[in-house]
Amino acid sequence: MKAGNIFSEIPDSPIDEIFEILLKNDHFRLERIVSSGQATPPGEWCDQDMNEWVILLSGSAGLLFEGEEEVTLMHPGEYVHIPAHKRHRIEWTDPERKTVWLALHYE
Amino acid sequence: MKAGNIFSEIPDSPIDEIFEILLKNDHFRLERIVSSGQATPPGEWCDQDMNEWVILLSGSAGLLFEGEEEVTLMHPGEYVHIPAHKRHRIEWTDPERKTVWLALHYE
């Protein structure tokens, strides 16, 4: 059986976010994302071609969706659904510990 | 945005495992499973038509795959891939706390 631990094998001091595909087929891509304090650059939005269901598993983050005034705080266990082309920003991720996300991108 | 917390809204003393669909389309089904000490009945195997990628997020469990002698222990963060029709058993789930799984069933 292909097995692992989502919290293991995380490099110590990455400058960039780490994206790792756990599972993929023609219809979806399941991905581990590890953030270390990164954020979407000021003035920019994420605009994705695929739908995304994403759960935060450790650390914390703040998400902003276009048209909303309040940042959505995310703590371990919290998930959110982001439809394709719903513009959003990662306002911040935890500067003190790794933020681990599990994201399901699908058509 | 459709949002929630995978650890919230868990009934207190369920007799049965709880299965809840978080997301579904023609190609996959994303499901929360909450176990409270349940196990696969003695002598039975789970044999599923779909592939399953499953991660344990709280609690603990022991999985046995047909043909293997050792039970695979699962702790938070650990995931395993179970191909369709790979016979397996849930030998035990944590009797003292809720075991929360996130399962992606796909074709």
Side-chain angles (χ1 to χ4, degrees):
Chain A
M1 301 299 98
K2 200 165 53 181
N5 189 315
I6 198 127
F7 301 121
S8 73
E9 297 176 35
I10 295 177
D12 259 353
S13 298
I15 295 169
D16 297 317
E17 286 186 306
I18 299 169
F19 298 83
E20 179 189 0
I21 294 173
L22 299 171
L23 192 65
K24 185 181 177 181
N25 66 16
D26 289 345
H27 305 292
F28 67 78
R29 187 175 82 247
L30 185 67
E31 201 169 57
R32 177 175 81 164
I33 305 165
V34 180
S35 311
S36 309
Q38 292 89 358
T40 309
E44 292 187 15
W45 293 97
C46 301
D47 185 330
Q48 302 172 154
D49 289 338
M50 294 179 86
N51 303 295
E52 179 177 0
W53 183 96
V54 61
I55 183 168
L56 188 148
L57 295 178
S58 72
S60 57
L63 292 193
L64 184 66
F65 294 97
E66 192 178 41
E68 295 188 2
E69 298 206 349
E70 290 221 355
V71 170
T72 299
L73 299 184
M74 294 194 70
H75 298 106
E78 290 175 343
Y79 56 84
V80 65
H81 186 260
I82 308 172
H85 299 299
K86 174 70 183 175
R87 281 153 60 103
H88 61 284
R89 295 176 34 81
I90 311 293
E91 288 289 316
W92 54 268
T93 56
D94 201 312
E96 293 182 356
R97 74 208 75 192
K98 303 294 182 193
T99 296
V100 175
W101 314 79
L102 179 66
L104 179 64
H105 304 271
Y106 67 99
E107 289 177 348
Chain B
M1 300 303 97
K2 199 165 54 180
N5 189 315
I6 197 125
F7 301 121
S8 73
E9 296 175 36
I10 295 177
D12 258 353
S13 298
I15 295 169
D16 297 317
E17 287 188 305
I18 300 168
F19 297 83
E20 179 190 0
I21 293 173
L22 299 171
L23 192 66
K24 184 182 176 179
N25 67 15
D26 289 345
H27 305 292
F28 68 79
R29 186 174 84 247
L30 184 68
E31 202 169 57
R32 176 174 82 165
I33 305 165
V34 180
S35 312
S36 310
Q38 293 90 358
T40 310
E44 291 189 15
W45 293 97
C46 302
D47 184 330
Q48 302 173 156
D49 288 338
M50 295 178 85
N51 304 297
E52 178 177 2
W53 183 96
V54 61
I55 183 168
L56 187 149
L57 295 177
S58 72
S60 57
L63 292 194
L64 182 66
F65 294 97
E66 192 178 38
E68 294 187 3
E69 298 207 348
E70 290 221 354
V71 170
T72 299
L73 299 183
M74 294 194 69
H75 299 106
E78 290 175 343
Y79 57 83
V80 65
H81 185 261
I82 308 173
H85 299 300
K86 174 70 185 176
R87 281 153 59 103
H88 60 284
R89 298 176 32 81
I90 310 294
E91 288 290 316
W92 55 268
T93 56
D94 201 313
E96 294 182 355
R97 74 209 75 193
K98 302 294 182 193
T99 296
V100 175
W101 314 78
L102 178 66
L104 178 64
H105 304 271
Y106 68 99
E107 289 175 349

